Amino acid sequence: MQPPESPTNEVDRLRELMSLGILDTPAEASFDDISELARHLAGTEIGIISLVDSDRQWFKSCVGLPLGQQHSPRSISFCGHTILQREPLIIEDAHRDVRFADNPLVQGEPWIRFYAGFPLITDNNFAIGSLCAISRTPHTLAANQIESLRRLAALTVQHLQNLRHSTLSRDHQLRLAPEMLPGLTRDDLRSLDQLISRDQMLKMLDLILAMETDARFALLRCRFRDYERVSATFGGLVAEEFINEGARRLIVALPKGASVARFADTELVVLLPFGVDTQDMQRVAERIIALTGQSYRNGQHSLSLAVSIGIATYHHNYKTVEDILSDASIAVQMARCMNGSSFRFVDAESRLIAKENYRIESDLRDALKDKLLDLYLQPIVSLADSETVGFEALARWQRGDQLLKPSSFIPMLAEAGLTAELDLLIVEKALAAMPLLARPIPQRQMRVSVNLSGLLLEDGEQQQRLLALIDDNPCPPGWSLQVEIVEDAFQAKTDLFERFLADLVTRGVVIAIDDFGTGYSSLARLISLPIQLVKVDQAFVQNLDAPADSGRTLLRTMIVMLRDLGLSITAEGVETTSQRDWLRAHAVSAAQGFLFHHPMPVSEAIALLETLDYRPRALAVDPQRLRAVRRRLRSNFWRRLSQDERRGHAEPPP
């Protein structure tokens, strides 16, 4: 017997299933009608609507099996195999299929010989179960039967999704203690008008803390991770509807007696009733995450409602409202350090960690303000002869006797909204270092590459500061500046973003995609935007040493496509000679990684250049394509200008 594997998106798939609120609900005639119709269409004895849980398949409806048979282990289920694909799984004779011949469901009750499973795929593209037709004898389906059952499966999914909110609000409310706090009741949770204000929440907390009772309650701070980005990209109206949609979903997830306050633009605070325990709070947090995890579409934009939840509990352990709010804030900051939606509880250890992080953040702000972060350079080499052809500029922070890498402090800068300031500081230091680097090799063409964060790419004022830095610090002869932008940034193809790229290119700056293959990009963007170089992510390079050939096949295809588009390629994270040799054999022009050099201070980079015998040579960038890109950008820029704007610019040459 071959047990079914778990889908690669199993955690998100289960979250989608949980959000339907359908598991372990009583039988319903509407679903039994679907099962009856399924077995009628297929001409079989059994029809089932099966939902695949973490360790079982549970039958929302089952027609043709003995009463009370509502589930079976996932490890022996046919439906566990069905959810791994998007097409129906049809087994005409299980005795002749090596995957199922010795399955207990074949060798014993219900004696399955024929199985047809049609995956139930939600609007969010998760397979949560299957619509099954089963027979105890071998059987076949005609093409028209398969098509009819496929349509019936789609109708089943729509029925499940339409019942999502009504099921949550009626049968699957979380039932905590019966005592009520002032605020929302379950009957009026539908209206956003029931959200209380920040002041009302604070007064409510003051009242509870002043009571001389054995009170116990929980406070949840819920912050929507993408609010600032949505606001900056799409404006205030879209951002307001974004937070309102998050509030609606959060409200549906809450138990009777909970109170919800709009605490800030990006944050909702939830007060859970007296008598809650840790399991209650965990279930509430999981339900919130499940409901906010559903995709949210505003016009043409699909937005993420990912939420970070920090939980603090009261049982005579806080003297002031500020104390419990502070601890919940510590917990939410810990949750924000995790990927996607998540929740964390506060405890003594996390309090100490938070205090230390605040000290580090304070020191980091001072270091950034005083320009004390150091510039390190990692050489980029030509794979033809391993000679250095450029450098990537990286940040290091000397804090006491520790030299900290970006991974340890950039998350703090991101949380504080200071990543653009770091970008500008590293660009400034890189431009200042270029004349020193150029002295040993005055005739050599070289390039220094810097990374730009999403925050800078969304802020017009920060962009102008970067352009001013470039204007005030010209590169030495033969040297150029390259900016690396992650793939996802190219998805927001706004006029401001395109004009910024055009301004960079007209200043001789090379545009590169960083970590290519890990984010979102399209061939149209690779062609239409002034991209000249692609940096292949180190994950693809590391897979070159894997036994399976799939990673090499994928990278080989990517390289051919990029070369056909006239783009230069640099491989990141090269650590072994076998990786280097494979990349060289497939005409990748340049690479960086520990095999060649570790990041080094500017002084060591200068010493490296002084020891090498350099001859003048150009980097592998097609100058004809670069000139064509610049002409197109100038022409597009001129056409977008109004008559008034054109007066301040000279018309571009043909």
Side-chain angles (χ1 to χ4, degrees):
M1 186 189 74
Q2 179 180 323
E5 298 178 357
S6 293
T8 56
N9 61 352
E10 179 66 355
V11 173
D12 291 332
R13 190 195 71 83
L14 288 173
R15 184 176 295 166
E16 176 85 343
L17 175 60
M18 294 302 110
S19 73
L20 294 173
I22 198 72
L23 291 177
D24 299 311
T25 55
E28 295 180 60
S30 59
F31 289 101
D32 288 340
D33 289 343
I34 293 174
S35 296
E36 181 65 45
L37 182 55
R39 72 170 183 170
H40 174 76
L41 289 171
T44 60
E45 306 97 282
I46 301 167
I48 297 174
I49 298 174
S50 170
L51 301 174
V52 181
D53 201 351
S54 58
D55 57 357
R56 60 173 179 161
Q57 62 170 352
W58 178 79
F59 305 145
K60 174 58 183 172
S61 171
C62 183
V63 176
L65 284 180
L67 292 176
Q69 190 166 342
Q70 286 190 294
H71 61 84
S72 62
R74 179 173 173 174
S75 59
I76 63 172
S77 70
F78 283 58
C79 297
H81 294 270
T82 303
I83 64 170
L84 299 175
Q85 56 191 50
R86 291 297 182 263
E87 294 298 318
L89 176 63
I90 299 177
I91 311 296
E92 294 185 349
D93 188 350
H95 284 182
R96 296 179 179 273
D97 193 309
V98 295
R99 294 171 297 175
F100 304 104
D102 57 346
N103 189 296
L105 301 177
V106 175
Q107 297 298 320
E109 286 290 341
W111 308 102
I112 296 176
R113 290 291 296 275
F114 170 81
Y115 169 90
F118 292 76
L120 301 177
I121 302 173
T122 67
D123 290 345
N124 293 320
N125 204 31
F126 292 105
I128 58 171
S130 65
L131 176 66
C132 314
I134 295 172
S135 177
R136 297 183 177 91
T137 59
H139 190 62
T140 59
L141 293 179
N144 64 325
Q145 291 175 297
I146 294 174
E147 182 58 26
S148 296
L149 288 164
R150 191 195 304 268
R151 293 185 179 186
L152 185 60
L155 290 173
T156 305
V157 172
Q158 290 303 313
H159 188 39
L160 286 165
Q161 293 180 148
N162 290 339
L163 292 176
R164 184 195 308 268
H165 294 305
S166 60
T167 302
L168 285 171
S169 62
R170 185 182 67 252
D171 297 322
H172 278 264
Q173 298 173 14
L174 294 172
R175 289 182 169 83
L176 305 183
E179 291 85 353
M180 298 291 293
L181 287 172
L184 300 178
T185 64
R186 195 58 190 171
D187 294 331
D188 57 17
L189 278 178
R190 289 285 178 259
S191 174
L192 287 177
D193 293 338
Q194 298 301 317
L195 287 173
I196 64 176
S197 69
R198 177 190 179 98
D199 287 343
Q200 287 174 303
M201 176 63 77
L202 293 175
K203 290 177 181 177
M204 189 182 303
L205 291 170
D206 275 329
L207 178 62
I208 295 173
L209 266 61
M211 295 168 61
E212 296 290 336
T213 62
D214 191 29
R216 183 184 180 95
F217 66 89
L219 191 74
L220 283 66
R221 298 190 77 150
C222 307
R223 294 182 186 170
F224 292 91
R225 301 171 68 100
D226 284 355
Y227 176 85
E228 289 89 351
R229 186 176 180 186
V230 169
S231 181
T233 305
F234 303 111
L237 291 178
V238 174
E240 183 66 17
E241 179 53 35
F242 172 87
I243 198 73
N244 285 343
E245 178 63 20
R248 292 186 192 100
R249 299 186 183 195
L250 182 144
I251 284 170
V252 172
L254 294 177
K256 187 176 182 179
S259 297
V260 186
R262 177 77 177 271
F263 222 62
D265 285 342
T266 181
E267 183 179 41
L268 299 170
V269 170
V270 177
L271 183 61
L272 290 182
F274 297 116
V276 292
D277 58 26
T278 300
Q279 288 186 341
D280 289 330
M281 290 180 283
Q282 183 169 329
R283 283 195 293 268
V284 171
E286 289 172 346
R287 183 61 60 87
I288 292 172
I289 288 172
L291 284 179
T292 56
Q294 307 303 312
S295 62
Y296 164 54
R297 182 164 291 277
N298 186 297
Q300 296 181 342
H301 309 294
S302 182
L303 307 178
S304 168
L305 281 166
V307 62
S308 300
I309 305 172
I311 308 174
T313 58
Y314 172 81
H315 192 206
H316 295 290
N317 52 332
Y318 294 103
K319 293 183 179 180
T320 67
V321 173
E322 289 75 15
D323 290 341
I324 189 170
L325 285 171
S326 176
D327 269 10
S329 181
I330 289 172
V332 82
Q333 294 299 330
M334 295 167 61
R336 284 177 68 88
C337 293
M338 304 170 72
N339 293 328
S341 294
S342 56
F343 65 90
R344 292 294 297 270
F345 290 88
V346 73
D347 53 31
E349 182 181 359
S350 60
R351 250 182 240 110
L352 292 175
I353 293 173
K355 290 179 180 178
E356 176 61 19
N357 286 341
Y358 286 144
R359 282 195 293 269
I360 295 174
E361 183 178 328
S362 177
D363 293 345
L364 180 58
R365 286 176 180 270
D366 291 340
L368 188 60
K369 179 182 177 182
D370 297 333
K371 301 184 179 181
L372 297 179
L373 295 178
D374 296 320
L375 174 69
Y376 269 55
L377 299 170
Q378 183 172 36
I380 301 170
V381 304
S382 166
L383 284 176
D385 51 20
S386 295
E387 288 190 1
T388 301
V389 295
F391 297 91
E392 180 175 0
L394 303 167
R396 294 291 186 270
W397 179 25
Q398 188 72 49
R399 185 173 185 259
D401 58 355
Q402 289 183 300
L403 183 66
L404 301 180
K405 296 180 180 180
S407 58
S408 64
F409 58 82
I410 282 184
M412 293 183 185
L413 292 177
E415 180 67 26
L418 294 173
T419 52
E421 294 296 332
L422 177 63
D423 295 343
L424 294 169
L425 176 60
I426 295 304
V427 170
E428 180 181 351
K429 293 202 170 195
L431 291 171
M434 279 191 198
L436 303 176
L437 294 163
R439 286 177 185 172
I441 48 169
Q443 301 301 315
R444 179 76 174 206
Q445 290 199 16
M446 299 283 283
R447 183 179 303 155
V448 175
S449 186
V450 296
N451 295 278
L452 298 186
S453 66
L455 191 58
L456 186 143
L457 297 172
E458 296 167 358
D459 190 325
E461 181 181 349
Q462 304 282 29
Q463 293 170 11
Q464 292 305 311
R465 289 177 60 191
L466 175 61
L467 296 174
L469 272 176
I470 296 171
D471 292 339
D472 294 341
N473 298 272
C475 298
W479 287 69
S480 60
L481 181 68
Q482 173 176 296
V483 296
E484 299 181 15
I485 302 172
V486 295
E487 277 187 273
D488 288 344
F490 289 93
Q491 188 174 4
K493 193 178 175 184
T494 63
D495 288 343
L496 175 65
F497 181 65
E498 286 192 68
R499 184 171 297 190
F500 174 57
L501 295 185
D503 287 338
L504 288 172
V505 173
T506 56
R507 287 166 169 80
V509 177
V510 177
I511 310 296
I513 293 184
D514 191 21
D515 298 337
F516 183 76
T518 61
Y520 172 90
S521 63
S522 70
L523 290 177
R525 287 180 171 84
L526 289 175
I527 296 169
S528 64
L529 293 173
I531 300 163
Q532 296 152 247
L533 185 141
V534 169
K535 299 192 75 174
V536 175
D537 186 71
Q538 61 182 343
F540 294 97
V541 175
Q542 292 168 357
N543 280 336
L544 293 177
D545 290 336
D549 195 49
S550 55
R552 290 183 287 277
T553 301
L554 177 58
L555 184 53
R556 189 184 302 115
T557 303
M558 289 169 52
I559 291 170
V560 171
M561 177 193 71
L562 295 171
R563 290 179 59 199
D564 288 345
L565 292 173
L567 297 171
S568 297
I569 305 171
T570 297
E572 296 182 298
V574 178
E575 297 181 355
T576 66
T577 56
S578 60
Q579 294 168 358
R580 177 202 62 194
D581 294 344
W582 191 96
L583 293 165
R584 181 188 292 161
H586 289 80
V588 174
S589 57
Q592 65 188 89
F594 292 165
L595 177 65
F596 309 108
H597 299 283
H598 285 69
M600 60 187 67
V602 174
S603 59
E604 291 184 19
I606 295 172
L608 171 67
L609 297 179
E610 289 173 342
T611 62
L612 301 178
D613 179 22
Y614 277 103
R615 298 173 302 280
R617 91 191 222 192
L619 285 169
V621 174
D622 184 351
Q624 185 175 356
R625 182 178 185 274
L626 179 56
R627 287 194 294 272
V629 167
R630 289 177 179 170
R631 284 197 300 271
R632 185 173 71 249
L633 285 168
R634 285 196 295 268
S635 177
N636 291 342
F637 175 71
W638 182 259
R639 286 199 301 269
R640 283 200 298 263
L641 293 178
S642 66
Q643 290 296 329
D644 290 338
E645 289 175 321
R646 289 186 183 186
R647 295 191 186 98
H649 298 270
E651 185 172 358

